[in-house]
Amino acid sequence: AIEIDTGGDDAGVALLHRILDEHPGEAGDAYHCLAIAAFRRGAYDQSLKYYERAIESCSDPQTARWNRSSRYAATNAPSPAR
């Protein structure tokens, strides 16, 4: 997350994919960070897919839902009713 927050998106994303491969139990939190990185790159559809996966298993699904709703608002996309 620090790598992504400091502008090192490529290195951060690579590390997150490594976490997915090596530590599948941490997948939810990795997907949450990948969603943030994808949104920052302008990959909005991919970001929303990562948020869906994050919400299923991350340690803080409420924050993931909030971040996802912010992405819907930023892109003027309709939010799913949940």
Side-chain angles (χ1 to χ4, degrees):
I2 292 170
E3 195 65 42
I4 292 168
D5 284 339
T6 58
D9 283 357
D10 291 339
V13 167
L15 180 58
L16 290 165
H17 282 288
R18 185 172 164 196
I19 290 169
L20 290 174
D21 291 340
E22 296 178 12
H23 304 281
E26 304 298 324
D29 293 321
Y31 282 123
H32 193 177
C33 291
L34 284 168
I36 294 167
F39 184 83
R40 289 182 180 175
R41 287 191 321 271
Y44 304 122
D45 290 339
Q46 184 63 53
S47 175
L48 294 172
K49 289 176 187 174
Y50 283 141
Y51 275 119
E52 292 303 317
R53 297 191 74 179
I55 289 167
E56 294 172 3
S57 62
C58 75
S59 62
D60 189 0
Q62 294 83 6
T63 298
R65 282 188 188 94
W66 173 259
N67 288 341
R68 181 188 64 182
S69 70
S70 299
R71 290 353 178 219
Y72 279 113
T75 60
N76 293 318
S79 177
R82 291 193 186 177

